[in-house]
Amino acid sequence: MEKILYFERTEFDSRLATTKHEMAKRGLDILLLSEPPNVNYLTGYDSYTFYTPQMLIVALNRSEPIYVTRLVDRPSAQIFTYLAEENIRGFPDFYVNSTTSSAWAFIADVVKEVGGETARIGVELGGYYYSARTHADLVKALPNAEFLDADLLVNWIRIVKSPAELTLMRQAGRIADAMLTRAVEMAEPGVRECDLAAAVYHQQHSGLPEFGGSYDSSIPYFCVGDRARGPHSAWTDRPLPDSTQINIEVHGNRLRYQVHVSRTICIGKPTPEYTKFAEIQIEGLNAALETVRPGRACSEVFAAFSKVLAKHGIVKTERIGYSQGIGYPPAGSERTVSIREDEQTVLQPGMCLHLMPGLWLDNGTRSVAVTQPLEITQTGYAPLTTTPRVLVVKK
Amino acid sequence: MEKILYFERTEFDSRLATTKHEMAKRGLDILLLSEPPNVNYLTGYDSYTFYTPQMLIVALNRSEPIYVTRLVDRPSAQIFTYLAEENIRGFPDFYVNSTTSSAWAFIADVVKEVGGETARIGVELGGYYYSARTHADLVKALPNAEFLDADLLVNWIRIVKSPAELTLMRQAGRIADAMLTRAVEMAEPGVRECDLAAAVYHQQHSGLPEFGGSYDSSIPYFCVGDRARGPHSAWTDRPLPDSTQINIEVHGNRLRYQVHVSRTICIGKPTPEYTKFAEIQIEGLNAALETVRPGRACSEVFAAFSKVLAKHGIVKTERIGYSQGIGYPPAGSERTVSIREDEQTVLQPGMCLHLMPGLWLDNGTRSVAVTQPLEITQTGYAPLTTTPRVLVVKK
């Protein structure tokens, strides 16, 4: 059977070593990873199987992790991970959506094999794929183990990207640029929103002639007219009117590495007041960008943006950025760094951010979203997309 | 502000009444719904915002539920639900990805307003959006409340579709047919898998000239070559070879109502042995379909399929179907009925199933997936897609 792995084995080894180092520091014997991006990061595993129970078991006393998934999905792990045969386990199908048998109990039995019965076990308590029932079933099956919160342990390791990862982030950024270009081309009065969405998605999945794209961790947003009051609406099948506003956020994805970028597209000429409003947002974004470099705290980036806004009598309290990397549904971000007033995390080379200081004012009746994804370099930042930071007007 | 609601208010009222009736039966004062399909079902709410905390609070002592979401997403609830202004609450942005402030504590405060402090509260313990931390934070904030497992309470109500819902399921089925047609047209040697995926997705999102499509709750699967050993692989960007097998599963989605259907496409002529293998699978599917009608237990449908397989010396233990309806990531099914050996649930008119008795044998080295989505009618079933149930061969 073929193997499909997008990183060198040495890179996976290094990621695992860093994870184990952090486990040891926290006194964890075993780390149970239920979040798909973390499983992907440590093993390469990539299939849409996380809607049924699965778990990566990292034990300090074993060189290789063990992956447990649904039996029918075991071949995916054989193809997409470097793991040895004996470290890929499958639970029978009767566990799926069963009210009587818990797949988590099956997984607990595998945890016992690596000394889990009396271990200190880290779990991703706040993860999307670690439900209250998951926890209850594991605790019941391992009553003498000690469970500790290790949520985001791997996320904080993933935040600094390797050169190989940065290559994929840059490719994802190029796809995101192409998606924005396609959106601007297609956005015309009379075009159904769903046809606009379909064209943008087509670009996302097809990617570029040199490399293909993939699905994103959420959906591209198409906030049209009244729906631009909130930032997270999907499309409808109504035709675009002669004059409206579209806040669009697209997500380029290359081998699960994901780059977000937003633009506001005006169909029909905007008012001078609105144009001015957009200019303020872009001025704030550019001021924030000028502060971005290694050693700076996130709060300083936020302050630079706020200072511009204050000049114009505007206050924004929402975060204006977050870190990005491997994307799996439903998450839009890595759930680590946020660029906001009180965030003291210091920027380091290899971090990737989506700087997204969109403005939604007066219950969303005034909104604009021009954003910039970027990587932190040794001396400053490099943009991950090259689409100009302007309000797009289609007359 | 405009309202976008796809069902009559009387239908939402009826869904809520049925939910409250079930709550009363179970002795629940309050039901906390964190699963997006259940929130959509009871209120119409539809935005991709579930990656941050949100909760629908249904209290027996109040006529309308209360929805709590992130403040920036509040306008989405104003547009996409019938809820009164005071029943749409937003938590400030500093709760998002915070390590110090819990949005669940904010939500617990709203639960207190409706008598939650000492109530019997049902929660979706096994839901995708009810993490171990969610539960811990709620229990901590409401120490004198009694928490009970109400997972799937609304899912089991949703399983029988109304006439208005069936209309959307049929439209979703027509989109799924168009997606399969597009896949078969595009699947040619030399075409990159990502371009095939892009074309199929384009059809999904664009929909039909009469009505548009939407995103699905997972991804369409493109299991090519070795990756056909497992059922849940995405595409790569490699060109299709001159001879290979593709197991494809597509998901038509119309206003969140979703219909799944699979086909195996052979590029290049399959061997007589493989053709025979596919014929057995289809014979089994057809035999299962003949048993489908109201009053039949799921186990009887499974038995009809197994009987055909047994004739050919094949045993399949995995489930061969599940119920379908509203779809949100990451779920592929409604998590209620499975068509399998021991499932005693009796079929009723208005249920919709994806009958998917694909075969993966010998560690997936032999696989075929011809499936049929359907609705249960008063006297039998009606297919939700019309694509012929055959092995597709492209020479």
Side-chain angles (χ1 to χ4, degrees):
Chain A
M1 200 178 328
E2 69 170 336
K3 285 272 177 197
I4 303 179
L5 286 161
Y6 297 111
F7 296 95
E8 299 292 332
R9 176 63 190 267
T10 49
E11 177 146 353
F12 286 117
D13 288 346
S14 151
R15 295 172 183 182
L16 184 62
T18 308
T19 302
K20 285 184 170 177
H21 180 79
E22 183 62 27
M23 286 170 63
K25 218 167 100 181
R26 299 192 191 186
L28 299 175
D29 306 307
I30 292 170
L31 179 61
L32 300 185
L33 295 171
S34 42
E35 290 294 286
N38 294 336
V39 175
N40 175 274
Y41 183 71
L42 289 182
T43 69
Y45 185 75
D46 179 34
S47 277
Y48 202 104
T49 58
F50 34 84
Y51 62 89
T52 50
Q54 47 189 43
M55 194 68 88
L56 188 71
I57 303 167
V58 182
L60 275 194
N61 65 5
R62 284 176 56 96
S63 62
E64 244 185 45
I66 301 176
Y67 189 53
V68 192
T69 186
R70 186 178 173 185
L71 197 55
V72 296
D73 294 318
R74 198 174 171 276
S76 284
Q78 293 176 304
I79 293 171
F80 285 102
T81 77
Y82 64 81
L83 297 174
E85 275 299 299
E86 68 268 22
N87 293 329
I88 307 173
R89 311 292 180 87
F91 57 81
D93 218 63
F94 63 81
Y95 285 105
V96 177
N97 294 164
S98 169
T99 50
T100 51
S101 305
S102 167
W104 305 110
F106 182 100
I107 289 167
D109 281 340
V110 183
V111 177
K112 285 179 193 168
E113 283 181 36
V114 298
E117 234 151 341
T118 56
R120 284 169 59 89
I121 301 176
V123 292
E124 299 186 285
L125 266 192
Y128 295 110
Y129 297 93
Y130 195 82
S131 74
R133 175 169 304 144
T134 302
H135 190 60
D137 286 3
L138 288 175
V139 167
K140 189 178 160 199
L142 299 161
N144 299 315
E146 188 181 352
F147 284 80
L148 296 124
D149 188 6
D151 196 22
L152 307 181
L153 186 155
V154 177
N155 302 49
W156 279 104
I157 294 170
R158 284 197 281 123
I159 197 170
V160 174
K161 273 75 183 165
S162 71
E165 289 182 291
L166 288 172
T167 298
L168 297 181
M169 289 298 284
R170 290 169 201 145
Q171 291 178 347
R174 288 177 57 195
I175 294 172
D177 273 324
M179 291 171 73
L180 276 186
T181 301
R182 192 84 186 93
V184 173
E185 276 168 13
M186 278 288 290
E188 294 280 355
V191 171
R192 293 188 307 172
E193 292 180 22
C194 57
D195 294 322
L196 172 61
V200 171
Y201 262 112
H202 189 280
Q203 192 71 60
Q204 174 184 335
H205 297 129
S206 177
L208 300 174
E210 310 91 284
F211 48 80
S214 193
Y215 64 93
D216 54 339
S217 66
S218 55
I219 57 167
Y221 299 116
F222 292 87
C223 303
V224 180
D226 262 355
R227 282 180 293 118
R229 292 185 177 204
H232 300 121
S233 171
W235 56 94
T236 72
D237 58 6
R238 297 187 290 198
L240 292 172
D242 289 343
S243 171
T244 195
Q245 171 189 341
I246 310 173
N247 293 336
I248 181 170
E249 180 179 294
V250 302
H251 308 146
N253 189 299
R254 173 67 178 148
L255 303 177
R256 307 299 342 125
Y257 284 79
Q258 188 161 307
V259 168
H260 298 187
V261 62
S262 297
R263 285 295 179 274
T264 293
I265 303 172
C266 290
I267 300 189
K269 199 170 181 231
T271 63
E273 293 72 27
Y274 183 79
T275 305
K276 174 70 191 160
F277 173 61
E279 281 166 4
I280 293 169
Q281 196 253 293
I282 295 164
E283 184 191 344
L285 169 61
N286 289 333
L289 280 168
E290 276 170 34
T291 67
V292 171
R293 72 196 60 162
R296 282 279 159 88
C298 294
S299 57
E300 294 176 84
V301 180
F302 186 89
F305 174 74
S306 293
K307 200 174 154 189
V308 170
L309 257 59
K311 223 170 58 182
H312 300 281
I314 300 173
V315 177
K316 178 179 162 83
T317 55
E318 295 85 13
R319 66 177 184 173
I320 63 163
Y322 51 80
S323 67
Q324 294 191 270
I326 301 170
Y328 276 98
S333 78
E334 285 186 330
R335 296 176 57 228
T336 47
V337 158
S338 291
I339 306 290
R340 57 184 154 201
E341 195 169 10
D342 59 351
E343 174 92 34
Q344 295 312 318
T345 305
V346 169
L347 300 179
Q348 295 173 59
M351 286 183 179
C352 293
L353 302 176
H354 181 207
L355 203 57
M356 34 64 89
L359 289 179
W360 280 263
L361 299 183
D362 311 330
N363 195 29
T365 49
R366 281 196 296 163
S367 70
V368 61
V370 178
T371 74
Q372 183 63 57
L374 58 90
E375 62 174 272
I376 314 287
T377 62
Q378 294 298 327
T379 55
Y381 77 93
L384 287 166
T385 57
T386 59
T387 301
R389 290 188 292 276
V390 295
L391 179 69
V392 181
V393 177
K394 289 205 64 169
K395 280 176 220 159
Chain B
M1 200 182 322
E2 69 171 335
K3 285 272 177 197
I4 303 179
L5 285 161
Y6 296 111
F7 296 95
E8 299 292 332
R9 176 63 190 267
T10 49
E11 177 146 353
F12 286 117
D13 287 346
S14 152
R15 296 173 184 182
L16 184 63
T18 309
T19 302
K20 285 185 170 177
H21 180 79
E22 183 62 28
M23 285 170 64
K25 219 168 98 183
R26 299 193 191 186
L28 299 174
D29 305 308
I30 292 170
L31 179 61
L32 300 184
L33 295 171
S34 42
E35 291 294 285
N38 294 336
V39 176
N40 174 273
Y41 183 72
L42 289 182
T43 69
Y45 184 75
D46 178 35
S47 277
Y48 202 105
T49 58
F50 35 83
Y51 61 89
T52 51
Q54 48 189 41
M55 194 68 87
L56 188 71
I57 302 167
V58 182
L60 274 194
N61 65 5
R62 285 176 55 95
S63 61
E64 244 184 45
I66 301 176
Y67 189 54
V68 192
T69 185
R70 186 177 173 186
L71 198 54
V72 296
D73 294 318
R74 197 173 172 278
S76 285
Q78 294 176 304
I79 293 171
F80 284 102
T81 76
Y82 64 80
L83 298 174
E85 275 300 299
E86 68 268 23
N87 294 329
I88 307 174
R89 310 292 180 86
F91 56 81
D93 218 62
F94 64 82
Y95 285 105
V96 177
N97 293 166
S98 168
T99 51
T100 50
S101 305
S102 167
W104 304 111
F106 181 100
I107 289 167
D109 280 340
V110 184
V111 176
K112 285 179 193 167
E113 284 181 36
V114 298
E117 235 151 340
T118 57
R120 285 169 57 89
I121 301 176
V123 292
E124 299 186 285
L125 267 191
Y128 295 110
Y129 297 93
Y130 194 83
S131 74
R133 175 170 301 145
T134 302
H135 190 59
D137 286 3
L138 288 175
V139 167
K140 188 177 160 200
L142 298 161
N144 299 314
E146 188 182 351
F147 284 80
L148 296 124
D149 188 6
D151 197 23
L152 308 181
L153 186 154
V154 176
N155 302 49
W156 278 105
I157 294 170
R158 283 197 282 124
I159 197 170
V160 174
K161 273 76 183 164
S162 70
E165 289 182 291
L166 288 172
T167 297
L168 297 181
M169 289 297 284
R170 291 170 200 145
Q171 291 178 348
R174 288 178 56 195
I175 294 173
D177 272 324
M179 291 170 73
L180 276 185
T181 301
R182 193 84 186 93
V184 173
E185 276 168 13
M186 279 288 291
E188 294 280 356
V191 170
R192 294 189 306 172
E193 291 180 23
C194 57
D195 294 322
L196 172 61
V200 170
Y201 262 113
H202 190 280
Q203 191 72 59
Q204 174 184 335
H205 297 129
S206 177
L208 300 175
E210 309 90 284
F211 49 80
S214 193
Y215 64 93
D216 55 341
S217 66
S218 55
I219 57 166
Y221 299 117
F222 292 86
C223 303
V224 179
D226 262 356
R227 283 180 293 116
R229 292 185 178 205
H232 300 121
S233 172
W235 55 95
T236 72
D237 58 6
R238 298 188 289 198
L240 293 171
D242 290 342
S243 172
T244 194
Q245 171 188 343
I246 310 173
N247 294 336
I248 181 172
E249 180 179 295
V250 301
H251 307 146
N253 189 298
R254 172 68 179 148
L255 302 176
R256 306 301 338 127
Y257 285 79
Q258 188 162 308
V259 168
H260 298 187
V261 62
S262 297
R263 285 295 180 273
T264 293
I265 303 172
C266 290
I267 299 189
K269 200 172 179 223
T271 62
E273 292 72 26
Y274 183 79
T275 305
K276 174 69 190 160
F277 173 61
E279 281 166 3
I280 293 169
Q281 196 253 294
I282 296 164
E283 184 191 344
L285 169 61
N286 289 335
L289 281 168
E290 277 170 34
T291 67
V292 171
R293 72 196 59 161
R296 281 278 159 89
C298 294
S299 57
E300 294 177 83
V301 180
F302 187 88
F305 174 74
S306 293
K307 200 174 152 188
V308 170
L309 257 60
K311 222 171 57 183
H312 300 281
I314 301 173
V315 176
K316 178 178 162 83
T317 55
E318 295 86 13
R319 65 177 183 173
I320 62 163
Y322 51 79
S323 66
Q324 294 190 271
I326 300 169
Y328 276 97
S333 78
E334 286 186 329
R335 297 176 55 227
T336 47
V337 158
S338 292
I339 306 290
R340 57 183 153 201
E341 194 168 10
D342 60 350
E343 174 93 33
Q344 295 311 319
T345 305
V346 171
L347 300 179
Q348 296 173 58
M351 285 183 178
C352 293
L353 302 176
H354 182 208
L355 203 57
M356 34 64 88
L359 289 179
W360 281 262
L361 300 182
D362 312 329
N363 196 29
T365 49
R366 281 196 297 163
S367 70
V368 61
V370 178
T371 74
Q372 183 62 58
L374 57 91
E375 61 175 270
I376 313 287
T377 62
Q378 294 300 326
T379 55
Y381 76 93
L384 287 166
T385 57
T386 58
T387 302
R389 291 187 293 275
V390 295
L391 179 69
V392 181
V393 177
K394 288 207 65 170
K395 279 177 222 158

